[in-house]
Amino acid sequence: GGADSDHAVPPGDMYSQDGDADEPEWVKTEREQFVEFRDKNRDGKMDKEETKDWILPSDYDHAEAEARHLVYESDQDKDGKLTREEIVDKSDLFVGSQATDFGEALVRHDEF
């Protein structure tokens, strides 16, 4: 029954370096990833640059890849430009796209 006092986790212990036998596998993996790859200067924290590299790895430009994909899929006359008609024709593609925040950008921009 009930939560007994010797299982209470004091604050700070959740992130202890030695790791716990009961620790979920993903926590172990995350900690290893953090130490190996994310915390590049090994100060125990992720600074702005380290966070940016984690979220948007510098070797892969998501926005550009997505934009190229959208143009490739929608540009029917293959002139490298999208007309309003081409966008409307493939609107489901744009609404489902991360590049347009799943269609949000289409609502915000007058040119669409």
PDB file of all heavy atoms in Angstrom, residues 3-33:
ATOM      1  N   ALA A   3       2.546   5.265  -0.711  1.00  0.00           N
ATOM      2  CA  ALA A   3       3.939   5.658  -0.912  1.00  0.00           C
ATOM      3  C   ALA A   3       4.598   5.779   0.454  1.00  0.00           C
ATOM      4  O   ALA A   3       4.163   6.564   1.276  1.00  0.00           O
ATOM      5  CB  ALA A   3       4.013   6.987  -1.643  1.00  0.00           C
ATOM      6  N   ASP A   4       5.641   4.953   0.721  1.00  0.00           N
ATOM      7  CA  ASP A   4       6.272   5.099   2.024  1.00  0.00           C
ATOM      8  C   ASP A   4       7.509   5.975   1.929  1.00  0.00           C
ATOM      9  O   ASP A   4       8.086   6.149   0.866  1.00  0.00           O
ATOM     10  CB  ASP A   4       6.575   3.747   2.687  1.00  0.00           C
ATOM     11  CG  ASP A   4       7.248   2.779   1.754  1.00  0.00           C
ATOM     12  OD1 ASP A   4       8.340   3.112   1.259  1.00  0.00           O
ATOM     13  OD2 ASP A   4       6.683   1.688   1.522  1.00  0.00           O
ATOM     14  N   SER A   5       7.911   6.534   3.031  1.00  0.00           N
ATOM     15  CA  SER A   5       8.869   7.629   3.036  1.00  0.00           C
ATOM     16  C   SER A   5      10.226   7.281   2.450  1.00  0.00           C
ATOM     17  O   SER A   5      10.886   8.135   1.901  1.00  0.00           O
ATOM     18  CB  SER A   5       9.039   8.174   4.452  1.00  0.00           C
ATOM     19  OG  SER A   5       9.445   7.110   5.299  1.00  0.00           O
ATOM     20  N   ASP A   6      10.687   6.028   2.552  1.00  0.00           N
ATOM     21  CA  ASP A   6      12.033   5.749   2.054  1.00  0.00           C
ATOM     22  C   ASP A   6      12.106   5.675   0.523  1.00  0.00           C
ATOM     23  O   ASP A   6      13.166   5.475  -0.025  1.00  0.00           O
ATOM     24  CB  ASP A   6      12.656   4.503   2.699  1.00  0.00           C
ATOM     25  CG  ASP A   6      11.764   3.280   2.614  1.00  0.00           C
ATOM     26  OD1 ASP A   6      11.236   3.020   1.505  1.00  0.00           O
ATOM     27  OD2 ASP A   6      11.577   2.597   3.637  1.00  0.00           O
ATOM     28  N   HIS A   7      10.983   5.852  -0.172  1.00  0.00           N
ATOM     29  CA  HIS A   7      11.030   5.932  -1.634  1.00  0.00           C
ATOM     30  C   HIS A   7      10.901   7.355  -2.148  1.00  0.00           C
ATOM     31  O   HIS A   7      10.884   7.588  -3.340  1.00  0.00           O
ATOM     32  CB  HIS A   7       9.927   5.058  -2.265  1.00  0.00           C
ATOM     33  CG  HIS A   7      10.262   3.598  -2.230  1.00  0.00           C
ATOM     34  ND1 HIS A   7       9.848   2.775  -1.234  1.00  0.00           N
ATOM     35  CD2 HIS A   7      10.993   2.848  -3.076  1.00  0.00           C
ATOM     36  CE1 HIS A   7      10.308   1.550  -1.446  1.00  0.00           C
ATOM     37  NE2 HIS A   7      11.009   1.567  -2.559  1.00  0.00           N
ATOM     38  N   ALA A   8      10.803   8.316  -1.238  1.00  0.00           N
ATOM     39  CA  ALA A   8      10.720   9.713  -1.662  1.00  0.00           C
ATOM     40  C   ALA A   8      12.040  10.131  -2.299  1.00  0.00           C
ATOM     41  O   ALA A   8      13.102   9.771  -1.827  1.00  0.00           O
ATOM     42  CB  ALA A   8      10.405  10.609  -0.472  1.00  0.00           C
ATOM     43  N   VAL A   9      11.956  10.846  -3.404  1.00  0.00           N
ATOM     44  CA  VAL A   9      13.164  11.284  -4.105  1.00  0.00           C
ATOM     45  C   VAL A   9      13.404  12.748  -3.782  1.00  0.00           C
ATOM     46  O   VAL A   9      12.608  13.595  -4.155  1.00  0.00           O
ATOM     47  CB  VAL A   9      12.999  11.109  -5.634  1.00  0.00           C
ATOM     48  CG1 VAL A   9      14.226  11.637  -6.371  1.00  0.00           C
ATOM     49  CG2 VAL A   9      12.751   9.649  -5.971  1.00  0.00           C
ATOM     50  N   PRO A  10      14.491  13.048  -3.073  1.00  0.00           N
ATOM     51  CA  PRO A  10      14.769  14.468  -2.800  1.00  0.00           C
ATOM     52  C   PRO A  10      15.099  15.201  -4.090  1.00  0.00           C
ATOM     53  O   PRO A  10      15.640  14.591  -5.013  1.00  0.00           O
ATOM     54  CB  PRO A  10      15.999  14.441  -1.877  1.00  0.00           C
ATOM     55  CG  PRO A  10      16.424  13.025  -1.765  1.00  0.00           C
ATOM     56  CD  PRO A  10      15.491  12.157  -2.547  1.00  0.00           C
ATOM     57  N   PRO A  11      14.768  16.492  -4.167  1.00  0.00           N
ATOM     58  CA  PRO A  11      15.076  17.243  -5.384  1.00  0.00           C
ATOM     59  C   PRO A  11      16.562  17.148  -5.689  1.00  0.00           C
ATOM     60  O   PRO A  11      17.374  17.134  -4.779  1.00  0.00           O
ATOM     61  CB  PRO A  11      14.693  18.682  -5.028  1.00  0.00           C
ATOM     62  CG  PRO A  11      13.891  18.611  -3.781  1.00  0.00           C
ATOM     63  CD  PRO A  11      14.183  17.311  -3.118  1.00  0.00           C
ATOM     64  N   GLY A  12      16.889  17.100  -6.966  1.00  0.00           N
ATOM     65  CA  GLY A  12      18.304  17.020  -7.331  1.00  0.00           C
ATOM     66  C   GLY A  12      18.744  15.599  -7.590  1.00  0.00           C
ATOM     67  O   GLY A  12      19.595  15.356  -8.425  1.00  0.00           O
ATOM     68  N   ASP A  13      18.176  14.638  -6.904  1.00  0.00           N
ATOM     69  CA  ASP A  13      18.569  13.242  -7.086  1.00  0.00           C
ATOM     70  C   ASP A  13      18.152  12.694  -8.441  1.00  0.00           C
ATOM     71  O   ASP A  13      18.720  11.745  -8.929  1.00  0.00           O
ATOM     72  CB  ASP A  13      17.957  12.356  -5.995  1.00  0.00           C
ATOM     73  CG  ASP A  13      18.855  12.290  -4.767  1.00  0.00           C
ATOM     74  OD1 ASP A  13      19.736  13.176  -4.661  1.00  0.00           O
ATOM     75  OD2 ASP A  13      18.690  11.395  -3.939  1.00  0.00           O
ATOM     76  N   MET A  14      17.134  13.294  -9.031  1.00  0.00           N
ATOM     77  CA  MET A  14      16.674  12.821 -10.337  1.00  0.00           C
ATOM     78  C   MET A  14      17.786  12.878 -11.366  1.00  0.00           C
ATOM     79  O   MET A  14      17.816  12.099 -12.288  1.00  0.00           O
ATOM     80  CB  MET A  14      15.512  13.686 -10.825  1.00  0.00           C
ATOM     81  CG  MET A  14      14.164  13.170 -10.395  1.00  0.00           C
ATOM     82  SD  MET A  14      12.868  14.325 -10.838  1.00  0.00           S
ATOM     83  CE  MET A  14      12.845  14.110 -12.621  1.00  0.00           C
ATOM     84  N   TYR A  15      18.689  13.845 -11.224  1.00  0.00           N
ATOM     85  CA  TYR A  15      19.724  14.034 -12.226  1.00  0.00           C
ATOM     86  C   TYR A  15      21.088  13.591 -11.731  1.00  0.00           C
ATOM     87  O   TYR A  15      22.093  14.043 -12.209  1.00  0.00           O
ATOM     88  CB  TYR A  15      19.774  15.503 -12.661  1.00  0.00           C
ATOM     89  CG  TYR A  15      18.440  15.980 -13.166  1.00  0.00           C
ATOM     90  CD1 TYR A  15      17.682  16.853 -12.422  1.00  0.00           C
ATOM     91  CD2 TYR A  15      17.931  15.500 -14.363  1.00  0.00           C
ATOM     92  CE1 TYR A  15      16.443  17.272 -12.876  1.00  0.00           C
ATOM     93  CE2 TYR A  15      16.697  15.916 -14.821  1.00  0.00           C
ATOM     94  CZ  TYR A  15      15.947  16.802 -14.078  1.00  0.00           C
ATOM     95  OH  TYR A  15      14.732  17.209 -14.533  1.00  0.00           O
ATOM     96  N   SER A  16      21.111  12.710 -10.738  1.00  0.00           N
ATOM     97  CA  SER A  16      22.403  12.316 -10.183  1.00  0.00           C
ATOM     98  C   SER A  16      23.227  11.595 -11.244  1.00  0.00           C
ATOM     99  O   SER A  16      22.694  10.844 -12.056  1.00  0.00           O
ATOM    100  CB  SER A  16      22.198  11.404  -8.970  1.00  0.00           C
ATOM    101  OG  SER A  16      21.592  10.203  -9.384  1.00  0.00           O
ATOM    102  N   GLN A  17      24.524  11.839 -11.243  1.00  0.00           N
ATOM    103  CA  GLN A  17      25.399  11.312 -12.288  1.00  0.00           C
ATOM    104  C   GLN A  17      25.580   9.802 -12.216  1.00  0.00           C
ATOM    105  O   GLN A  17      25.824   9.160 -13.212  1.00  0.00           O
ATOM    106  CB  GLN A  17      26.778  11.986 -12.215  1.00  0.00           C
ATOM    107  CG  GLN A  17      26.768  13.440 -12.665  1.00  0.00           C
ATOM    108  CD  GLN A  17      26.275  13.606 -14.095  1.00  0.00           C
ATOM    109  OE1 GLN A  17      26.722  12.925 -15.001  1.00  0.00           O
ATOM    110  NE2 GLN A  17      25.316  14.502 -14.293  1.00  0.00           N
ATOM    111  N   ASP A  18      25.511   9.241 -11.016  1.00  0.00           N
ATOM    112  CA  ASP A  18      25.803   7.807 -10.893  1.00  0.00           C
ATOM    113  C   ASP A  18      24.718   6.927 -11.497  1.00  0.00           C
ATOM    114  O   ASP A  18      24.955   5.768 -11.799  1.00  0.00           O
ATOM    115  CB  ASP A  18      26.040   7.422  -9.425  1.00  0.00           C
ATOM    116  CG  ASP A  18      25.008   8.044  -8.496  1.00  0.00           C
ATOM    117  OD1 ASP A  18      25.126   9.254  -8.201  1.00  0.00           O
ATOM    118  OD2 ASP A  18      24.077   7.327  -8.102  1.00  0.00           O
ATOM    119  N   GLY A  19      23.521   7.475 -11.690  1.00  0.00           N
ATOM    120  CA  GLY A  19      22.462   6.679 -12.293  1.00  0.00           C
ATOM    121  C   GLY A  19      21.888   5.694 -11.296  1.00  0.00           C
ATOM    122  O   GLY A  19      22.552   5.283 -10.345  1.00  0.00           O
ATOM    123  N   ASP A  20      20.673   5.302 -11.515  1.00  0.00           N
ATOM    124  CA  ASP A  20      19.936   4.485 -10.568  1.00  0.00           C
ATOM    125  C   ASP A  20      19.575   3.176 -11.260  1.00  0.00           C
ATOM    126  O   ASP A  20      19.301   3.169 -12.447  1.00  0.00           O
ATOM    127  CB  ASP A  20      18.671   5.265 -10.185  1.00  0.00           C
ATOM    128  CG  ASP A  20      17.904   4.601  -9.068  1.00  0.00           C
ATOM    129  OD1 ASP A  20      18.277   3.481  -8.677  1.00  0.00           O
ATOM    130  OD2 ASP A  20      16.922   5.199  -8.615  1.00  0.00           O
ATOM    131  N   ALA A  21      19.571   2.091 -10.522  1.00  0.00           N
ATOM    132  CA  ALA A  21      19.211   0.797 -11.108  1.00  0.00           C
ATOM    133  C   ALA A  21      17.785   0.840 -11.672  1.00  0.00           C
ATOM    134  O   ALA A  21      17.477   0.174 -12.649  1.00  0.00           O
ATOM    135  CB  ALA A  21      19.333  -0.306 -10.062  1.00  0.00           C
ATOM    136  N   ASP A  22      16.922   1.642 -11.036  1.00  0.00           N
ATOM    137  CA  ASP A  22      15.526   1.725 -11.480  1.00  0.00           C
ATOM    138  C   ASP A  22      15.319   2.727 -12.608  1.00  0.00           C
ATOM    139  O   ASP A  22      14.208   2.947 -13.064  1.00  0.00           O
ATOM    140  CB  ASP A  22      14.618   2.154 -10.310  1.00  0.00           C
ATOM    141  CG  ASP A  22      14.691   1.161  -9.160  1.00  0.00           C
ATOM    142  OD1 ASP A  22      15.014  -0.016  -9.429  1.00  0.00           O
ATOM    143  OD2 ASP A  22      14.449   1.567  -8.007  1.00  0.00           O
ATOM    144  N   GLU A  23      16.408   3.337 -13.033  1.00  0.00           N
ATOM    145  CA  GLU A  23      16.306   4.387 -14.035  1.00  0.00           C
ATOM    146  C   GLU A  23      15.788   3.826 -15.357  1.00  0.00           C
ATOM    147  O   GLU A  23      16.282   2.807 -15.828  1.00  0.00           O
ATOM    148  CB  GLU A  23      17.717   4.935 -14.231  1.00  0.00           C
ATOM    149  CG  GLU A  23      17.809   6.169 -15.065  1.00  0.00           C
ATOM    150  CD  GLU A  23      19.253   6.680 -15.081  1.00  0.00           C
ATOM    151  OE1 GLU A  23      20.102   6.027 -15.696  1.00  0.00           O
ATOM    152  OE2 GLU A  23      19.507   7.704 -14.449  1.00  0.00           O
ATOM    153  N   PRO A  24      14.805   4.496 -15.986  1.00  0.00           N
ATOM    154  CA  PRO A  24      14.325   4.005 -17.295  1.00  0.00           C
ATOM    155  C   PRO A  24      15.448   4.045 -18.328  1.00  0.00           C
ATOM    156  O   PRO A  24      16.349   4.877 -18.224  1.00  0.00           O
ATOM    157  CB  PRO A  24      13.224   5.000 -17.674  1.00  0.00           C
ATOM    158  CG  PRO A  24      12.982   5.849 -16.485  1.00  0.00           C
ATOM    159  CD  PRO A  24      14.134   5.702 -15.544  1.00  0.00           C
ATOM    160  N   GLU A  25      15.339   3.175 -19.316  1.00  0.00           N
ATOM    161  CA  GLU A  25      16.378   3.061 -20.345  1.00  0.00           C
ATOM    162  C   GLU A  25      16.578   4.389 -21.088  1.00  0.00           C
ATOM    163  O   GLU A  25      17.697   4.781 -21.379  1.00  0.00           O
ATOM    164  CB  GLU A  25      15.988   1.944 -21.322  1.00  0.00           C
ATOM    165  CG  GLU A  25      17.108   1.465 -22.219  1.00  0.00           C
ATOM    166  CD  GLU A  25      18.372   1.015 -21.469  1.00  0.00           C
ATOM    167  OE1 GLU A  25      18.264   0.290 -20.467  1.00  0.00           O
ATOM    168  OE2 GLU A  25      19.465   1.419 -21.902  1.00  0.00           O
ATOM    169  N   TRP A  26      15.457   5.083 -21.386  1.00  0.00           N
ATOM    170  CA  TRP A  26      15.586   6.317 -22.162  1.00  0.00           C
ATOM    171  C   TRP A  26      16.360   7.387 -21.402  1.00  0.00           C
ATOM    172  O   TRP A  26      17.047   8.206 -22.006  1.00  0.00           O
ATOM    173  CB  TRP A  26      14.229   6.837 -22.630  1.00  0.00           C
ATOM    174  CG  TRP A  26      13.333   7.364 -21.543  1.00  0.00           C
ATOM    175  CD1 TRP A  26      12.377   6.642 -20.866  1.00  0.00           C
ATOM    176  CD2 TRP A  26      13.293   8.681 -21.019  1.00  0.00           C
ATOM    177  NE1 TRP A  26      11.765   7.439 -19.950  1.00  0.00           N
ATOM    178  CE2 TRP A  26      12.296   8.703 -20.013  1.00  0.00           C
ATOM    179  CE3 TRP A  26      14.000   9.855 -21.291  1.00  0.00           C
ATOM    180  CZ2 TRP A  26      11.994   9.853 -19.279  1.00  0.00           C
ATOM    181  CZ3 TRP A  26      13.700  11.002 -20.551  1.00  0.00           C
ATOM    182  CH2 TRP A  26      12.714  10.999 -19.566  1.00  0.00           C
ATOM    183  N   VAL A  27      16.265   7.360 -20.070  1.00  0.00           N
ATOM    184  CA  VAL A  27      17.003   8.345 -19.274  1.00  0.00           C
ATOM    185  C   VAL A  27      18.502   8.088 -19.389  1.00  0.00           C
ATOM    186  O   VAL A  27      19.290   9.010 -19.594  1.00  0.00           O
ATOM    187  CB  VAL A  27      16.558   8.311 -17.789  1.00  0.00           C
ATOM    188  CG1 VAL A  27      17.415   9.246 -16.939  1.00  0.00           C
ATOM    189  CG2 VAL A  27      15.086   8.687 -17.666  1.00  0.00           C
ATOM    190  N   LYS A  28      18.889   6.794 -19.295  1.00  0.00           N
ATOM    191  CA  LYS A  28      20.299   6.429 -19.479  1.00  0.00           C
ATOM    192  C   LYS A  28      20.788   6.896 -20.847  1.00  0.00           C
ATOM    193  O   LYS A  28      21.846   7.513 -20.968  1.00  0.00           O
ATOM    194  CB  LYS A  28      20.469   4.903 -19.408  1.00  0.00           C
ATOM    195  CG  LYS A  28      20.429   4.302 -18.028  1.00  0.00           C
ATOM    196  CD  LYS A  28      20.982   2.870 -18.095  1.00  0.00           C
ATOM    197  CE  LYS A  28      20.851   2.134 -16.777  1.00  0.00           C
ATOM    198  NZ  LYS A  28      19.463   1.646 -16.535  1.00  0.00           N
ATOM    199  N   THR A  29      20.002   6.580 -21.885  1.00  0.00           N
ATOM    200  CA  THR A  29      20.372   6.941 -23.253  1.00  0.00           C
ATOM    201  C   THR A  29      20.518   8.446 -23.391  1.00  0.00           C
ATOM    202  O   THR A  29      21.502   8.929 -23.948  1.00  0.00           O
ATOM    203  CB  THR A  29      19.300   6.443 -24.242  1.00  0.00           C
ATOM    204  OG1 THR A  29      19.116   5.044 -24.022  1.00  0.00           O
ATOM    205  CG2 THR A  29      19.731   6.661 -25.681  1.00  0.00           C
ATOM    206  N   GLU A  30      19.529   9.183 -22.856  1.00  0.00           N
ATOM    207  CA  GLU A  30      19.577  10.646 -22.946  1.00  0.00           C
ATOM    208  C   GLU A  30      20.817  11.183 -22.250  1.00  0.00           C
ATOM    209  O   GLU A  30      21.461  12.088 -22.747  1.00  0.00           O
ATOM    210  CB  GLU A  30      18.325  11.272 -22.306  1.00  0.00           C
ATOM    211  CG  GLU A  30      17.155  11.381 -23.247  1.00  0.00           C
ATOM    212  CD  GLU A  30      17.470  12.196 -24.489  1.00  0.00           C
ATOM    213  OE1 GLU A  30      17.987  13.315 -24.389  1.00  0.00           O
ATOM    214  OE2 GLU A  30      17.190  11.707 -25.593  1.00  0.00           O
ATOM    215  N   ARG A  31      21.139  10.637 -21.078  1.00  0.00           N
ATOM    216  CA  ARG A  31      22.294  11.141 -20.343  1.00  0.00           C
ATOM    217  C   ARG A  31      23.576  10.904 -21.140  1.00  0.00           C
ATOM    218  O   ARG A  31      24.432  11.782 -21.241  1.00  0.00           O
ATOM    219  CB  ARG A  31      22.409  10.485 -18.961  1.00  0.00           C
ATOM    220  CG  ARG A  31      23.603  11.030 -18.184  1.00  0.00           C
ATOM    221  CD  ARG A  31      23.756  10.442 -16.805  1.00  0.00           C
ATOM    222  NE  ARG A  31      22.647  10.837 -15.950  1.00  0.00           N
ATOM    223  CZ  ARG A  31      21.838   9.986 -15.343  1.00  0.00           C
ATOM    224  NH1 ARG A  31      21.992   8.704 -15.491  1.00  0.00           N
ATOM    225  NH2 ARG A  31      20.862  10.427 -14.578  1.00  0.00           N
ATOM    226  N   GLU A  32      23.688   9.701 -21.729  1.00  0.00           N
ATOM    227  CA  GLU A  32      24.872   9.390 -22.538  1.00  0.00           C
ATOM    228  C   GLU A  32      24.957  10.325 -23.746  1.00  0.00           C
ATOM    229  O   GLU A  32      26.015  10.862 -24.060  1.00  0.00           O
ATOM    230  CB  GLU A  32      24.841   7.936 -23.011  1.00  0.00           C
ATOM    231  CG  GLU A  32      25.196   6.954 -21.897  1.00  0.00           C
ATOM    232  CD  GLU A  32      24.732   5.526 -22.180  1.00  0.00           C
ATOM    233  OE1 GLU A  32      24.413   5.216 -23.350  1.00  0.00           O
ATOM    234  OE2 GLU A  32      24.679   4.732 -21.232  1.00  0.00           O
ATOM    235  N   GLN A  33      23.821  10.508 -24.422  1.00  0.00           N
ATOM    236  CA  GLN A  33      23.760  11.416 -25.576  1.00  0.00           C
ATOM    237  C   GLN A  33      24.192  12.822 -25.170  1.00  0.00           C
ATOM    238  O   GLN A  33      24.923  13.491 -25.883  1.00  0.00           O
ATOM    239  CB  GLN A  33      22.323  11.501 -26.121  1.00  0.00           C
ATOM    240  CG  GLN A  33      21.840  10.257 -26.811  1.00  0.00           C
ATOM    241  CD  GLN A  33      22.319  10.196 -28.245  1.00  0.00           C
ATOM    242  OE1 GLN A  33      22.353  11.187 -28.936  1.00  0.00           O
ATOM    243  NE2 GLN A  33      22.706   9.021 -28.695  1.00  0.00           N
TER     244      GLN A  33
END
